[in-house]
Amino acid sequence: MMDFAYWLPIIWAVILVAAISIYVVLDGFDLGIGMLFALERHPDRRDVMVNTIAPVWDGNETWMVLGGAVLYGVFPGAYATLLPAFYLPIVLMLLALIFRGVAFEFRVMTRGTGREGMWNAGFMAGSAIAAFCQGTILGGVVQGIKVVDGAFAGGPLDWLTPFSILCGLSVMCGYALLGATWLIWRTTGVLEASCRRWAARLAVGLFIGIVAVSLWTPLLHAPYLRRWTDWPNIAFVAPVPVLVVVLGRLFVMGLRRGHSKGPFLCALGWFFLCLSGLGITVWPYAVPPGLTLWDVSSPPSSQFFQLIGTAILLPIILTYTIYSYHVFRGKVTETDGYH
Amino acid sequence: MQYAHDPALLLARFQFAFTVGVHIIFPAFSIGLAAYLAVLEGLWLKTGRPVFLDLYRYWIKVFSIVFGMGVVSGLVMSYEFGTNWSIFSKKAGPITGVLLSYEVMTAFFLEAGFLGVMLFGMNKVGRKLHFAATCCVSVGTLISMTWILSSNSWMQTPRGYTIDPVTGRFMPADWLAIIFNPSFPFRLVHMGLAAFLSVAFIVGATGAWHMLKARKAGKFSSEPVRVMFSMAMWMAAIVAPLQILAGDAHGLNTLKYQPAKIAAMEGDWVSEDHAPELLFGIPNMKTEHTDYAVKLPLAGSLILTHSLNGKVPGMKDFPRDQRPPSPVIFFSFRIMVALGMLMMLVGLWSLWLRRNSTLFTNPVFHRVALCMAPAGFLALLCGWITTEVGRQPWTVYGLLRTSDSVSPVALSSMAFSMTAFVVVYVLVFGSGLGILVRMLGRAPQEGEHDTPPSLATEILAARMHPGVIDPSTGKGA
């Protein structure tokens, strides 16, 4: 039983990080598309942008619900501490996601009534605010929250610091990059060309963000610094920054040579590395700097029961998710059949 | 412990009631409508009659809007347990959180994964596979309801747990006992029927509206309108009586496991056998008396226990601090029952008209059916108020108090979020309602369009070939 109690939270941490990563990547590009509305004014091309995500956005958002549910069921201690700590950005994010989620449908349903502009703005602002909030929450978790007796004991604005704002802006930039590279892959003509231009600039922005966050993070807490600089850790973690640079190089080449999938995959790679870097930094804390995974986890019986279901269901979910992406594969053009 | 009148606690409760009250409409709508769509597409594949495809295409546009609103309002719910009810989440999360995760994995992904194919994939995957996608979405909505009601029922009638003496957490001991807790089957059936009934009355009212409009224009209503009206009235005639039976069985179950809720619903203060039924009254929690009571002798015992001398509990059986607030649920329960009876009468009336072949020609009946449009949803909301307020003052019945469940969050934060939710919900879901009403205000056509009117194809086609635009609607003809 002792072993179960030790290993189950680790297995769950891996699953949770995987779910969050899948969410960040999938909803990342569709939030990014919302933000790119600010750059693309032409209504037909805006429709094409939305058409590339219309059949899949519900599924993308479901990963976020899964993240919340897993946290609630498997790490209730973390769920009950983090959510009150990030009360305001979470509420703001949820409200932003409401606007964005319905704007998909409403903007076209209200076409010609004068309200379309409002829903376009809602789609854009909702996407931007949701992305910013997600980044600040992530930054806020990394910088740590005040916990007394296993419960949040700080103030309502503790999360709002220069560091978390930097993280928020970086995530906005990163999501927009994912959106632009997704569109390079999925569209043609004028839109694709614009996206290549935007992607180049956004990549520079994200790269600066990554460097700044990476340099700042180890200064937040002494254990973070040791994680990255102590021998032998350094041998394992050194590839992370190296790979960031390598991917950057590949990205530039892919963009210049007109590859369609390459830039998107490089952007995904960057996100993967950033999330891994964060994971390496905060491990084994679920609520830095005080509560570890084991402090916040459910009884093993809960974790085990849920693990059985997850082991069976997650592969099935991935299969039909891939199938549904497969059905709607290929470039979307202005004369395409779905919205 | 916070006190029952603590403003942060009241705000947290009000916020939950508000957000869940808005949310519940959409999944109930999706459950009923997805099943209806699966039936329509199945009938179309089987009979080949184009009217079923027309109706499918008409209602799927409504479905896409309703589903989208359900997703975003549900997203709020999955985080609100943590933001506003963190102590509850921490203590009951090992049980309710796991059930919620199963809901996400077995239902949400299934719905979301196949929704895209259902909405946009008819020309991409073929008829059979498309029908399979519709069925997956419909089954997904039912699975989702199953888990969420299991979780809710466990909070009402908890079983299969132990309580950790140190942390006070609920530890799962027997998952089958947790999932199949005593009130779960009753709640599941009652809610499922409520969802079907609610959608039947929306579909019926839409049909009635278009028949009235056609009549005014001196025309006979089109085939799709008549078919959907007829299907909706069959549903009402069959399901409304079943629902009354299910509600009665649920009542017996509640009497057994939550007698304080029954006492508060009935406005009874002293427990008695040969109890009367209070048709009207105003329960007063302070004086422990129901004022202006209008009583029907013996009916209380008969309805609640199915015997004339059955013992019916009174609220004085329970300590003051364990009594649910009677006035709210006394009325919500009566409104629900009255609406249920009305729905059954409409169903029976439709059978009578069918016998006389006047179902499509009786304007009085059509007006009544139109007025009944929100009846199902109103009854459903009143039912939820009855069962949820009736659970007070507990979140986990008899074990964890609502006042001990709330998050340690600043009052100002609660007040901000409450205001923001109300403003945003009114704006967003109000607009959604407006869009739905506008959509339903357009009658289903023979040869209904494949894609929602929102679809870029249609708009682009209209832009490219302005000749085919219907100038009155601005849409492609």
Side-chain angles (χ1 to χ4, degrees), chain A residues 81-102:
Chain A
T81 323
L82 292 172
L83 270 67
F86 298 103
Y87 191 91
L88 294 175
I90 285 172
V91 168
L92 210 58
M93 174 189 77
L94 293 173
L95 295 171
L97 287 173
I98 289 177
F99 267 101
R100 190 194 68 114
V102 298

Side-chain angles (χ1 to χ4, degrees), chain A residues 44 79 108-109 305 334 339, chain B residues 78 102 438 454-455 460 463:
Chain A
D44 291 356
Y79 182 76
V108 218
M109 300 265 171
F305 178 68
E334 293 183 12
H339 105 112
Chain B
S78 74
Y102 267 96
R438 227 176 51 152
S454 59
L455 297 197
L460 290 167
R463 274 197 201 130

Side-chain angles (χ1 to χ4, degrees), chain A residues 1-15 74-75 283 293-294 297 300 303 307:
Chain A
M1 207 56 194
M2 198 51 225
D3 274 341
F4 265 139
Y6 178 75
W7 283 106
L8 280 171
I10 297 182
I11 296 171
W12 272 110
V14 172
I15 297 172
V74 176
F75 298 117
W283 174 266
L293 289 175
W294 297 275
S297 59
Q303 298 185 54
L307 192 60

Side-chain angles (χ1 to χ4, degrees), chain A residues 44 55 58 64 69 72 79-80 83 87-88 106 108-109 113 150 297 302 305-306 309 320 323 328 334 337-339, chain B residues 78-79 82 84 86 90 94 96 98 101-102 109-110 115-116 120 129 169 172 175 417 432 438 454-455 457 460 463:
Chain A
D44 291 356
D58 280 310
M64 182 171 171
Y72 180 20
Y79 182 76
L83 270 67
Y87 191 91
L88 294 175
F106 289 4
V108 218
M109 300 265 171
T113 62
S297 59
S302 295
F305 178 68
Q306 195 169 329
Y320 61 65
Y323 167 76
F328 299 101
E334 293 183 12
Y338 55 93
H339 105 112
Chain B
S78 74
Y79 284 83
N84 287 358
S86 64
K90 201 166 164 177
T96 52
V98 172
S101 302
Y102 267 96
F109 279 111
L110 194 66
L115 181 77
F120 311 113
L129 220 53
R169 287 196 305 182
W175 281 102
S417 65
R438 227 176 51 152
S454 59
L455 297 197
T457 353
L460 290 167
R463 274 197 201 130

